[in-house]
Amino acid sequence: MTVGIIGLGLIGGSLAKAFRRQEEITVLGWDADASITEFAQIAQAIHAPLTDDRLGELDLLLLATYPEAVVAHMTRLAPLLSAKTTVIDCAGTKEKVCAGVFPLAEQHGFLFLGGHPMAGTHRSGFRASRADLFEGAPMVLVPPRFDDIRLLDRAKTLLEPVGFGRISITTAQEHDKRIAFTSQMAHVVSNAYIKSPTARNHDGFSAGSYKDLTRVAWLNPAMWAELFLENKENLLFELETFMTALGEYQKALREEDFDSLCRLLDEGRQIKEEVDGA
C-alpha cells in the first residue's frame, strides 16, 4: 500500500509515523515548508517526498491541513489522482471541506470522505508528532453516501494501521455541531479562563483541576481562529448557552442563595453522570 500525506504537522506527522511502522507500506509526504518534508524523511517518518508524478501510485491520500487549504489542494490535485485512490481529509470542520471536495471527487472519479481524527496535544508541529498518537482514539468519517458499505469498509481497512479505537460515521453538519461543543468550546473556555490576573500567581496552589481546564489554552492561534470562524454559528450557540448558565451561578453567588447554588451544582453533576457514566 502507498500512502500520501499533505501537511506534516502534529496530525500529519503522527499519521506518517503510524503508517511507517508497517514495512509493507510506502509513505510519501509533503509540507508547505520544504524543510519539514526533508526533516520528516531524515527522521524516517516518510520514505520520500510526495510529488505530482507519484500521485497516481497512491492508495490513500490524507490531507492534514486547514479546511480552506484542503479545498485548495484538492482543486489542483483532483485531475491528477487515480480512480483507485481514496482521499480523506483531517481538518477540524467538515461542512466547507465536504461541500468543496465531494463534487470534485464525483467529477474526477476518485473516492473522498471527510475525516477527523479525534486526538491531539497542546503542542503543534512535526516535532510533537508521534506514532502512537491515535492508538485507541476515535476517528470520525463523513462519507458522500451512507449506503455505500464497500466505501466505508475500504476506508476502515486503509486506516487500520493507524490504530484507531472506534470509527464513527456522521454528516458534515452533525459533525460541526457536535465538535463545537466537544472541542471548540473547550478551547475557548480554557483560553479565556487563563486570562484571570490570578493565573500569574497560581504556583503552589494548583493541582489537577487547574491543569485539566487550562491544558488546551496552549493552542495554535491561527489554526483555531480559522476553525472557530468556519463553525461560527454552532460555536456561538454553545457560547451563548454557556454564558447564560454562568450568569445563573453568578446571580446565586451575589444573592448568597445557598439553595439555588446547590441546585445548579447538582444539575451539572447529574448531567455529567448521565452523559459520561458514574
mmCIF file with all atom_site columns, all heavy atoms in Angstrom, residues 96-123:
data_model
loop_
_atom_site.group_PDB
_atom_site.id
_atom_site.type_symbol
_atom_site.label_atom_id
_atom_site.label_alt_id
_atom_site.label_comp_id
_atom_site.label_asym_id
_atom_site.label_entity_id
_atom_site.label_seq_id
_atom_site.pdbx_PDB_ins_code
_atom_site.Cartn_x
_atom_site.Cartn_y
_atom_site.Cartn_z
_atom_site.occupancy
_atom_site.B_iso_or_equiv
_atom_site.pdbx_formal_charge
_atom_site.auth_seq_id
_atom_site.auth_comp_id
_atom_site.auth_asym_id
_atom_site.auth_atom_id
_atom_site.pdbx_PDB_model_num
ATOM 1   N N   . LYS A 1 96  ? -17.483 23.004 4.969   1.00 0.00 ? 96  LYS A N   1
ATOM 2   C CA  . LYS A 1 96  ? -16.848 23.648 3.824   1.00 0.00 ? 96  LYS A CA  1
ATOM 3   C C   . LYS A 1 96  ? -16.021 22.652 3.036   1.00 0.00 ? 96  LYS A C   1
ATOM 4   O O   . LYS A 1 96  ? -16.033 22.656 1.793   1.00 0.00 ? 96  LYS A O   1
ATOM 5   C CB  . LYS A 1 96  ? -15.972 24.809 4.283   1.00 0.00 ? 96  LYS A CB  1
ATOM 6   C CG  . LYS A 1 96  ? -15.192 25.452 3.145   1.00 0.00 ? 96  LYS A CG  1
ATOM 7   C CD  . LYS A 1 96  ? -14.482 26.718 3.553   1.00 0.00 ? 96  LYS A CD  1
ATOM 8   C CE  . LYS A 1 96  ? -15.421 27.896 3.552   1.00 0.00 ? 96  LYS A CE  1
ATOM 9   N NZ  . LYS A 1 96  ? -14.710 29.184 3.691   1.00 0.00 ? 96  LYS A NZ  1
ATOM 10  N N   . VAL A 1 97  ? -15.293 21.786 3.725   1.00 0.00 ? 97  VAL A N   1
ATOM 11  C CA  . VAL A 1 97  ? -14.452 20.799 3.043   1.00 0.00 ? 97  VAL A CA  1
ATOM 12  C C   . VAL A 1 97  ? -15.299 19.858 2.193   1.00 0.00 ? 97  VAL A C   1
ATOM 13  O O   . VAL A 1 97  ? -15.018 19.642 1.005   1.00 0.00 ? 97  VAL A O   1
ATOM 14  C CB  . VAL A 1 97  ? -13.623 19.993 4.063   1.00 0.00 ? 97  VAL A CB  1
ATOM 15  C CG1 . VAL A 1 97  ? -12.970 18.784 3.403   1.00 0.00 ? 97  VAL A CG1 1
ATOM 16  C CG2 . VAL A 1 97  ? -12.551 20.871 4.697   1.00 0.00 ? 97  VAL A CG2 1
ATOM 17  N N   . CYS A 1 98  ? -16.332 19.294 2.782   1.00 0.00 ? 98  CYS A N   1
ATOM 18  C CA  . CYS A 1 98  ? -17.151 18.322 2.050   1.00 0.00 ? 98  CYS A CA  1
ATOM 19  C C   . CYS A 1 98  ? -17.910 18.980 0.898   1.00 0.00 ? 98  CYS A C   1
ATOM 20  O O   . CYS A 1 98  ? -18.026 18.397 -0.186  1.00 0.00 ? 98  CYS A O   1
ATOM 21  C CB  . CYS A 1 98  ? -18.119 17.634 3.009   1.00 0.00 ? 98  CYS A CB  1
ATOM 22  S SG  . CYS A 1 98  ? -17.287 16.516 4.176   1.00 0.00 ? 98  CYS A SG  1
ATOM 23  N N   . ALA A 1 99  ? -18.413 20.187 1.118   1.00 0.00 ? 99  ALA A N   1
ATOM 24  C CA  . ALA A 1 99  ? -19.112 20.900 0.048   1.00 0.00 ? 99  ALA A CA  1
ATOM 25  C C   . ALA A 1 99  ? -18.173 21.185 -1.112  1.00 0.00 ? 99  ALA A C   1
ATOM 26  O O   . ALA A 1 99  ? -18.585 21.184 -2.283  1.00 0.00 ? 99  ALA A O   1
ATOM 27  C CB  . ALA A 1 99  ? -19.704 22.200 0.583   1.00 0.00 ? 99  ALA A CB  1
ATOM 28  N N   . GLY A 1 100 ? -16.887 21.416 -0.815  1.00 0.00 ? 100 GLY A N   1
ATOM 29  C CA  . GLY A 1 100 ? -15.927 21.724 -1.863  1.00 0.00 ? 100 GLY A CA  1
ATOM 30  C C   . GLY A 1 100 ? -15.349 20.519 -2.561  1.00 0.00 ? 100 GLY A C   1
ATOM 31  O O   . GLY A 1 100 ? -15.051 20.570 -3.767  1.00 0.00 ? 100 GLY A O   1
ATOM 32  N N   . VAL A 1 101 ? -15.191 19.404 -1.849  1.00 0.00 ? 101 VAL A N   1
ATOM 33  C CA  . VAL A 1 101 ? -14.455 18.267 -2.416  1.00 0.00 ? 101 VAL A CA  1
ATOM 34  C C   . VAL A 1 101 ? -15.357 17.144 -2.928  1.00 0.00 ? 101 VAL A C   1
ATOM 35  O O   . VAL A 1 101 ? -14.987 16.451 -3.881  1.00 0.00 ? 101 VAL A O   1
ATOM 36  C CB  . VAL A 1 101 ? -13.424 17.716 -1.400  1.00 0.00 ? 101 VAL A CB  1
ATOM 37  C CG1 . VAL A 1 101 ? -12.577 16.611 -2.038  1.00 0.00 ? 101 VAL A CG1 1
ATOM 38  C CG2 . VAL A 1 101 ? -12.508 18.833 -0.911  1.00 0.00 ? 101 VAL A CG2 1
ATOM 39  N N   . PHE A 1 102 ? -16.534 16.945 -2.353  1.00 0.00 ? 102 PHE A N   1
ATOM 40  C CA  . PHE A 1 102 ? -17.427 15.890 -2.869  1.00 0.00 ? 102 PHE A CA  1
ATOM 41  C C   . PHE A 1 102 ? -17.683 16.058 -4.377  1.00 0.00 ? 102 PHE A C   1
ATOM 42  O O   . PHE A 1 102 ? -17.601 15.080 -5.137  1.00 0.00 ? 102 PHE A O   1
ATOM 43  C CB  . PHE A 1 102 ? -18.761 15.879 -2.116  1.00 0.00 ? 102 PHE A CB  1
ATOM 44  C CG  . PHE A 1 102 ? -18.710 15.159 -0.789  1.00 0.00 ? 102 PHE A CG  1
ATOM 45  C CD1 . PHE A 1 102 ? -19.567 15.536 0.240   1.00 0.00 ? 102 PHE A CD1 1
ATOM 46  C CD2 . PHE A 1 102 ? -17.835 14.116 -0.558  1.00 0.00 ? 102 PHE A CD2 1
ATOM 47  C CE1 . PHE A 1 102 ? -19.543 14.881 1.472   1.00 0.00 ? 102 PHE A CE1 1
ATOM 48  C CE2 . PHE A 1 102 ? -17.792 13.453 0.668   1.00 0.00 ? 102 PHE A CE2 1
ATOM 49  C CZ  . PHE A 1 102 ? -18.657 13.838 1.677   1.00 0.00 ? 102 PHE A CZ  1
ATOM 50  N N   . PRO A 1 103 ? -17.981 17.279 -4.868  1.00 0.00 ? 103 PRO A N   1
ATOM 51  C CA  . PRO A 1 103 ? -18.195 17.423 -6.314  1.00 0.00 ? 103 PRO A CA  1
ATOM 52  C C   . PRO A 1 103 ? -16.940 17.127 -7.141  1.00 0.00 ? 103 PRO A C   1
ATOM 53  O O   . PRO A 1 103 ? -17.037 16.582 -8.245  1.00 0.00 ? 103 PRO A O   1
ATOM 54  C CB  . PRO A 1 103 ? -18.614 18.897 -6.455  1.00 0.00 ? 103 PRO A CB  1
ATOM 55  C CG  . PRO A 1 103 ? -19.120 19.296 -5.118  1.00 0.00 ? 103 PRO A CG  1
ATOM 56  C CD  . PRO A 1 103 ? -18.292 18.524 -4.140  1.00 0.00 ? 103 PRO A CD  1
ATOM 57  N N   . LEU A 1 104 ? -15.766 17.485 -6.611  1.00 0.00 ? 104 LEU A N   1
ATOM 58  C CA  . LEU A 1 104 ? -14.526 17.196 -7.326  1.00 0.00 ? 104 LEU A CA  1
ATOM 59  C C   . LEU A 1 104 ? -14.303 15.689 -7.454  1.00 0.00 ? 104 LEU A C   1
ATOM 60  O O   . LEU A 1 104 ? -13.878 15.195 -8.502  1.00 0.00 ? 104 LEU A O   1
ATOM 61  C CB  . LEU A 1 104 ? -13.338 17.823 -6.588  1.00 0.00 ? 104 LEU A CB  1
ATOM 62  C CG  . LEU A 1 104 ? -13.232 19.346 -6.594  1.00 0.00 ? 104 LEU A CG  1
ATOM 63  C CD1 . LEU A 1 104 ? -12.132 19.804 -5.640  1.00 0.00 ? 104 LEU A CD1 1
ATOM 64  C CD2 . LEU A 1 104 ? -12.961 19.852 -8.008  1.00 0.00 ? 104 LEU A CD2 1
ATOM 65  N N   . ALA A 1 105 ? -14.596 14.965 -6.376  1.00 0.00 ? 105 ALA A N   1
ATOM 66  C CA  . ALA A 1 105 ? -14.420 13.512 -6.390  1.00 0.00 ? 105 ALA A CA  1
ATOM 67  C C   . ALA A 1 105 ? -15.363 12.866 -7.401  1.00 0.00 ? 105 ALA A C   1
ATOM 68  O O   . ALA A 1 105 ? -14.970 11.955 -8.145  1.00 0.00 ? 105 ALA A O   1
ATOM 69  C CB  . ALA A 1 105 ? -14.662 12.948 -4.992  1.00 0.00 ? 105 ALA A CB  1
ATOM 70  N N   . GLU A 1 106 ? -16.584 13.336 -7.435  1.00 0.00 ? 106 GLU A N   1
ATOM 71  C CA  . GLU A 1 106 ? -17.550 12.781 -8.391  1.00 0.00 ? 106 GLU A CA  1
ATOM 72  C C   . GLU A 1 106 ? -17.140 13.101 -9.828  1.00 0.00 ? 106 GLU A C   1
ATOM 73  O O   . GLU A 1 106 ? -17.222 12.244 -10.714 1.00 0.00 ? 106 GLU A O   1
ATOM 74  C CB  . GLU A 1 106 ? -18.941 13.349 -8.099  1.00 0.00 ? 106 GLU A CB  1
ATOM 75  C CG  . GLU A 1 106 ? -20.025 12.738 -8.954  1.00 0.00 ? 106 GLU A CG  1
ATOM 76  C CD  . GLU A 1 106 ? -21.418 13.164 -8.534  1.00 0.00 ? 106 GLU A CD  1
ATOM 77  O OE1 . GLU A 1 106 ? -21.558 13.866 -7.514  1.00 0.00 ? 106 GLU A OE1 1
ATOM 78  O OE2 . GLU A 1 106 ? -22.380 12.788 -9.246  1.00 0.00 ? 106 GLU A OE2 1
ATOM 79  N N   . GLN A 1 107 ? -16.664 14.319 -10.046 1.00 0.00 ? 107 GLN A N   1
ATOM 80  C CA  . GLN A 1 107 ? -16.278 14.738 -11.392 1.00 0.00 ? 107 GLN A CA  1
ATOM 81  C C   . GLN A 1 107 ? -15.071 13.966 -11.913 1.00 0.00 ? 107 GLN A C   1
ATOM 82  O O   . GLN A 1 107 ? -15.022 13.581 -13.090 1.00 0.00 ? 107 GLN A O   1
ATOM 83  C CB  . GLN A 1 107 ? -15.971 16.235 -11.385 1.00 0.00 ? 107 GLN A CB  1
ATOM 84  C CG  . GLN A 1 107 ? -15.495 16.776 -12.734 1.00 0.00 ? 107 GLN A CG  1
ATOM 85  C CD  . GLN A 1 107 ? -15.101 18.239 -12.662 1.00 0.00 ? 107 GLN A CD  1
ATOM 86  O OE1 . GLN A 1 107 ? -15.294 18.910 -11.640 1.00 0.00 ? 107 GLN A OE1 1
ATOM 87  N NE2 . GLN A 1 107 ? -14.542 18.755 -13.746 1.00 0.00 ? 107 GLN A NE2 1
ATOM 88  N N   . HIS A 1 108 ? -14.097 13.719 -11.023 1.00 0.00 ? 108 HIS A N   1
ATOM 89  C CA  . HIS A 1 108 ? -12.836 13.125 -11.472 1.00 0.00 ? 108 HIS A CA  1
ATOM 90  C C   . HIS A 1 108 ? -12.710 11.637 -11.154 1.00 0.00 ? 108 HIS A C   1
ATOM 91  O O   . HIS A 1 108 ? -11.696 11.016 -11.485 1.00 0.00 ? 108 HIS A O   1
ATOM 92  C CB  . HIS A 1 108 ? -11.663 13.890 -10.867 1.00 0.00 ? 108 HIS A CB  1
ATOM 93  C CG  . HIS A 1 108 ? -11.563 15.300 -11.372 1.00 0.00 ? 108 HIS A CG  1
ATOM 94  N ND1 . HIS A 1 108 ? -11.037 15.615 -12.598 1.00 0.00 ? 108 HIS A ND1 1
ATOM 95  C CD2 . HIS A 1 108 ? -11.963 16.481 -10.813 1.00 0.00 ? 108 HIS A CD2 1
ATOM 96  C CE1 . HIS A 1 108 ? -11.084 16.931 -12.778 1.00 0.00 ? 108 HIS A CE1 1
ATOM 97  N NE2 . HIS A 1 108 ? -11.640 17.479 -11.715 1.00 0.00 ? 108 HIS A NE2 1
ATOM 98  N N   . GLY A 1 109 ? -13.687 11.057 -10.465 1.00 0.00 ? 109 GLY A N   1
ATOM 99  C CA  . GLY A 1 109 ? -13.751 9.610  -10.326 1.00 0.00 ? 109 GLY A CA  1
ATOM 100 C C   . GLY A 1 109 ? -12.946 8.984  -9.216  1.00 0.00 ? 109 GLY A C   1
ATOM 101 O O   . GLY A 1 109 ? -12.726 7.770  -9.220  1.00 0.00 ? 109 GLY A O   1
ATOM 102 N N   . PHE A 1 110 ? -12.504 9.765  -8.225  1.00 0.00 ? 110 PHE A N   1
ATOM 103 C CA  . PHE A 1 110 ? -11.825 9.168  -7.071  1.00 0.00 ? 110 PHE A CA  1
ATOM 104 C C   . PHE A 1 110 ? -12.778 9.188  -5.868  1.00 0.00 ? 110 PHE A C   1
ATOM 105 O O   . PHE A 1 110 ? -13.846 9.811  -5.907  1.00 0.00 ? 110 PHE A O   1
ATOM 106 C CB  . PHE A 1 110 ? -10.512 9.901  -6.746  1.00 0.00 ? 110 PHE A CB  1
ATOM 107 C CG  . PHE A 1 110 ? -10.672 11.352 -6.390  1.00 0.00 ? 110 PHE A CG  1
ATOM 108 C CD1 . PHE A 1 110 ? -10.924 11.751 -5.090  1.00 0.00 ? 110 PHE A CD1 1
ATOM 109 C CD2 . PHE A 1 110 ? -10.551 12.333 -7.368  1.00 0.00 ? 110 PHE A CD2 1
ATOM 110 C CE1 . PHE A 1 110 ? -11.073 13.092 -4.756  1.00 0.00 ? 110 PHE A CE1 1
ATOM 111 C CE2 . PHE A 1 110 ? -10.696 13.678 -7.048  1.00 0.00 ? 110 PHE A CE2 1
ATOM 112 C CZ  . PHE A 1 110 ? -10.963 14.051 -5.746  1.00 0.00 ? 110 PHE A CZ  1
ATOM 113 N N   . LEU A 1 111 ? -12.394 8.493  -4.800  1.00 0.00 ? 111 LEU A N   1
ATOM 114 C CA  . LEU A 1 111 ? -13.235 8.399  -3.610  1.00 0.00 ? 111 LEU A CA  1
ATOM 115 C C   . LEU A 1 111 ? -12.778 9.424  -2.578  1.00 0.00 ? 111 LEU A C   1
ATOM 116 O O   . LEU A 1 111 ? -11.587 9.568  -2.315  1.00 0.00 ? 111 LEU A O   1
ATOM 117 C CB  . LEU A 1 111 ? -13.141 6.997  -3.010  1.00 0.00 ? 111 LEU A CB  1
ATOM 118 C CG  . LEU A 1 111 ? -13.565 5.846  -3.931  1.00 0.00 ? 111 LEU A CG  1
ATOM 119 C CD1 . LEU A 1 111 ? -13.241 4.505  -3.274  1.00 0.00 ? 111 LEU A CD1 1
ATOM 120 C CD2 . LEU A 1 111 ? -15.052 5.936  -4.249  1.00 0.00 ? 111 LEU A CD2 1
ATOM 121 N N   . PHE A 1 112 ? -13.725 10.132 -1.986  1.00 0.00 ? 112 PHE A N   1
ATOM 122 C CA  . PHE A 1 112 ? -13.389 11.104 -0.946  1.00 0.00 ? 112 PHE A CA  1
ATOM 123 C C   . PHE A 1 112 ? -14.329 10.957 0.243   1.00 0.00 ? 112 PHE A C   1
ATOM 124 O O   . PHE A 1 112 ? -15.549 10.840 0.075   1.00 0.00 ? 112 PHE A O   1
ATOM 125 C CB  . PHE A 1 112 ? -13.473 12.540 -1.462  1.00 0.00 ? 112 PHE A CB  1
ATOM 126 C CG  . PHE A 1 112 ? -13.307 13.564 -0.359  1.00 0.00 ? 112 PHE A CG  1
ATOM 127 C CD1 . PHE A 1 112 ? -12.055 13.817 0.183   1.00 0.00 ? 112 PHE A CD1 1
ATOM 128 C CD2 . PHE A 1 112 ? -14.412 14.210 0.173   1.00 0.00 ? 112 PHE A CD2 1
ATOM 129 C CE1 . PHE A 1 112 ? -11.902 14.733 1.224   1.00 0.00 ? 112 PHE A CE1 1
ATOM 130 C CE2 . PHE A 1 112 ? -14.265 15.130 1.211   1.00 0.00 ? 112 PHE A CE2 1
ATOM 131 C CZ  . PHE A 1 112 ? -13.012 15.383 1.733   1.00 0.00 ? 112 PHE A CZ  1
ATOM 132 N N   . LEU A 1 113 ? -13.748 10.979 1.439   1.00 0.00 ? 113 LEU A N   1
ATOM 133 C CA  . LEU A 1 113 ? -14.512 11.027 2.679   1.00 0.00 ? 113 LEU A CA  1
ATOM 134 C C   . LEU A 1 113 ? -13.947 12.155 3.536   1.00 0.00 ? 113 LEU A C   1
ATOM 135 O O   . LEU A 1 113 ? -12.729 12.334 3.627   1.00 0.00 ? 113 LEU A O   1
ATOM 136 C CB  . LEU A 1 113 ? -14.418 9.730  3.479   1.00 0.00 ? 113 LEU A CB  1
ATOM 137 C CG  . LEU A 1 113 ? -14.887 8.439  2.824   1.00 0.00 ? 113 LEU A CG  1
ATOM 138 C CD1 . LEU A 1 113 ? -13.713 7.737  2.156   1.00 0.00 ? 113 LEU A CD1 1
ATOM 139 C CD2 . LEU A 1 113 ? -15.524 7.509  3.863   1.00 0.00 ? 113 LEU A CD2 1
ATOM 140 N N   . GLY A 1 114 ? -14.831 12.897 4.170   1.00 0.00 ? 114 GLY A N   1
ATOM 141 C CA  . GLY A 1 114 ? -14.371 13.821 5.194   1.00 0.00 ? 114 GLY A CA  1
ATOM 142 C C   . GLY A 1 114 ? -13.925 13.020 6.399   1.00 0.00 ? 114 GLY A C   1
ATOM 143 O O   . GLY A 1 114 ? -14.465 11.949 6.682   1.00 0.00 ? 114 GLY A O   1
ATOM 144 N N   . GLY A 1 115 ? -12.917 13.511 7.108   1.00 0.00 ? 115 GLY A N   1
ATOM 145 C CA  . GLY A 1 115 ? -12.423 12.781 8.277   1.00 0.00 ? 115 GLY A CA  1
ATOM 146 C C   . GLY A 1 115 ? -11.963 13.715 9.368   1.00 0.00 ? 115 GLY A C   1
ATOM 147 O O   . GLY A 1 115 ? -11.623 14.877 9.120   1.00 0.00 ? 115 GLY A O   1
ATOM 148 N N   . HIS A 1 116 ? -11.966 13.209 10.598  1.00 0.00 ? 116 HIS A N   1
ATOM 149 C CA  . HIS A 1 116 ? -11.464 13.989 11.737  1.00 0.00 ? 116 HIS A CA  1
ATOM 150 C C   . HIS A 1 116 ? -10.920 13.030 12.781  1.00 0.00 ? 116 HIS A C   1
ATOM 151 O O   . HIS A 1 116 ? -11.675 12.433 13.546  1.00 0.00 ? 116 HIS A O   1
ATOM 152 C CB  . HIS A 1 116 ? -12.578 14.852 12.337  1.00 0.00 ? 116 HIS A CB  1
ATOM 153 C CG  . HIS A 1 116 ? -12.069 15.863 13.327  1.00 0.00 ? 116 HIS A CG  1
ATOM 154 N ND1 . HIS A 1 116 ? -12.895 16.797 13.924  1.00 0.00 ? 116 HIS A ND1 1
ATOM 155 C CD2 . HIS A 1 116 ? -10.827 16.103 13.828  1.00 0.00 ? 116 HIS A CD2 1
ATOM 156 C CE1 . HIS A 1 116 ? -12.182 17.558 14.741  1.00 0.00 ? 116 HIS A CE1 1
ATOM 157 N NE2 . HIS A 1 116 ? -10.921 17.140 14.694  1.00 0.00 ? 116 HIS A NE2 1
ATOM 158 N N   . PRO A 1 117 ? -9.598  12.857 12.840  1.00 0.00 ? 117 PRO A N   1
ATOM 159 C CA  . PRO A 1 117 ? -9.010  12.021 13.901  1.00 0.00 ? 117 PRO A CA  1
ATOM 160 C C   . PRO A 1 117 ? -9.090  12.754 15.231  1.00 0.00 ? 117 PRO A C   1
ATOM 161 O O   . PRO A 1 117 ? -8.586  13.876 15.359  1.00 0.00 ? 117 PRO A O   1
ATOM 162 C CB  . PRO A 1 117 ? -7.560  11.844 13.444  1.00 0.00 ? 117 PRO A CB  1
ATOM 163 C CG  . PRO A 1 117 ? -7.286  12.985 12.527  1.00 0.00 ? 117 PRO A CG  1
ATOM 164 C CD  . PRO A 1 117 ? -8.585  13.380 11.915  1.00 0.00 ? 117 PRO A CD  1
ATOM 165 N N   . MET A 1 118 ? -9.734  12.136 16.216  1.00 0.00 ? 118 MET A N   1
ATOM 166 C CA  . MET A 1 118 ? -10.041 12.815 17.475  1.00 0.00 ? 118 MET A CA  1
ATOM 167 C C   . MET A 1 118 ? -8.953  12.576 18.512  1.00 0.00 ? 118 MET A C   1
ATOM 168 O O   . MET A 1 118 ? -9.137  11.874 19.510  1.00 0.00 ? 118 MET A O   1
ATOM 169 C CB  . MET A 1 118 ? -11.399 12.359 17.997  1.00 0.00 ? 118 MET A CB  1
ATOM 170 C CG  . MET A 1 118 ? -12.551 12.617 17.039  1.00 0.00 ? 118 MET A CG  1
ATOM 171 S SD  . MET A 1 118 ? -12.707 14.352 16.599  1.00 0.00 ? 118 MET A SD  1
ATOM 172 C CE  . MET A 1 118 ? -13.010 15.059 18.200  1.00 0.00 ? 118 MET A CE  1
ATOM 173 N N   . ALA A 1 119 ? -7.788  13.170 18.259  1.00 0.00 ? 119 ALA A N   1
ATOM 174 C CA  . ALA A 1 119 ? -6.685  13.103 19.214  1.00 0.00 ? 119 ALA A CA  1
ATOM 175 C C   . ALA A 1 119 ? -5.755  14.264 18.925  1.00 0.00 ? 119 ALA A C   1
ATOM 176 O O   . ALA A 1 119 ? -5.735  14.813 17.826  1.00 0.00 ? 119 ALA A O   1
ATOM 177 C CB  . ALA A 1 119 ? -5.932  11.776 19.102  1.00 0.00 ? 119 ALA A CB  1
ATOM 178 N N   . GLY A 1 120 ? -4.978  14.639 19.910  1.00 0.00 ? 120 GLY A N   1
ATOM 179 C CA  . GLY A 1 120 ? -4.030  15.727 19.724  1.00 0.00 ? 120 GLY A CA  1
ATOM 180 C C   . GLY A 1 120 ? -3.346  16.047 21.043  1.00 0.00 ? 120 GLY A C   1
ATOM 181 O O   . GLY A 1 120 ? -3.569  15.377 22.058  1.00 0.00 ? 120 GLY A O   1
ATOM 182 N N   . THR A 1 121 ? -2.507  17.061 21.027  1.00 0.00 ? 121 THR A N   1
ATOM 183 C CA  . THR A 1 121 ? -1.867  17.547 22.243  1.00 0.00 ? 121 THR A CA  1
ATOM 184 C C   . THR A 1 121 ? -1.869  19.067 22.190  1.00 0.00 ? 121 THR A C   1
ATOM 185 O O   . THR A 1 121 ? -2.276  19.671 21.187  1.00 0.00 ? 121 THR A O   1
ATOM 186 C CB  . THR A 1 121 ? -0.398  17.069 22.361  1.00 0.00 ? 121 THR A CB  1
ATOM 187 O OG1 . THR A 1 121 ? 0.412   17.814 21.435  1.00 0.00 ? 121 THR A OG1 1
ATOM 188 C CG2 . THR A 1 121 ? -0.278  15.581 22.064  1.00 0.00 ? 121 THR A CG2 1
ATOM 189 N N   . HIS A 1 122 ? -1.418  19.700 23.264  1.00 0.00 ? 122 HIS A N   1
ATOM 190 C CA  . HIS A 1 122 ? -1.353  21.159 23.250  1.00 0.00 ? 122 HIS A CA  1
ATOM 191 C C   . HIS A 1 122 ? -0.156  21.652 22.456  1.00 0.00 ? 122 HIS A C   1
ATOM 192 O O   . HIS A 1 122 ? -0.019  22.853 22.214  1.00 0.00 ? 122 HIS A O   1
ATOM 193 C CB  . HIS A 1 122 ? -1.278  21.700 24.683  1.00 0.00 ? 122 HIS A CB  1
ATOM 194 C CG  . HIS A 1 122 ? -0.076  21.257 25.461  1.00 0.00 ? 122 HIS A CG  1
ATOM 195 N ND1 . HIS A 1 122 ? -0.013  20.025 26.085  1.00 0.00 ? 122 HIS A ND1 1
ATOM 196 C CD2 . HIS A 1 122 ? 1.127   21.852 25.692  1.00 0.00 ? 122 HIS A CD2 1
ATOM 197 C CE1 . HIS A 1 122 ? 1.162   19.895 26.678  1.00 0.00 ? 122 HIS A CE1 1
ATOM 198 N NE2 . HIS A 1 122 ? 1.872   20.989 26.452  1.00 0.00 ? 122 HIS A NE2 1
ATOM 199 N N   . ARG A 1 123 ? 0.711   20.758 22.022  1.00 0.00 ? 123 ARG A N   1
ATOM 200 C CA  . ARG A 1 123 ? 1.858   21.137 21.210  1.00 0.00 ? 123 ARG A CA  1
ATOM 201 C C   . ARG A 1 123 ? 1.529   20.935 19.737  1.00 0.00 ? 123 ARG A C   1
ATOM 202 O O   . ARG A 1 123 ? 0.644   20.154 19.382  1.00 0.00 ? 123 ARG A O   1
ATOM 203 C CB  . ARG A 1 123 ? 3.086   20.318 21.597  1.00 0.00 ? 123 ARG A CB  1
ATOM 204 C CG  . ARG A 1 123 ? 3.489   20.502 23.057  1.00 0.00 ? 123 ARG A CG  1
ATOM 205 C CD  . ARG A 1 123 ? 4.823   19.846 23.371  1.00 0.00 ? 123 ARG A CD  1
ATOM 206 N NE  . ARG A 1 123 ? 5.150   19.979 24.787  1.00 0.00 ? 123 ARG A NE  1
ATOM 207 C CZ  . ARG A 1 123 ? 5.718   21.053 25.325  1.00 0.00 ? 123 ARG A CZ  1
ATOM 208 N NH1 . ARG A 1 123 ? 6.018   22.081 24.555  1.00 0.00 ? 123 ARG A NH1 1
ATOM 209 N NH2 . ARG A 1 123 ? 5.975   21.103 26.619  1.00 0.00 ? 123 ARG A NH2 1
#
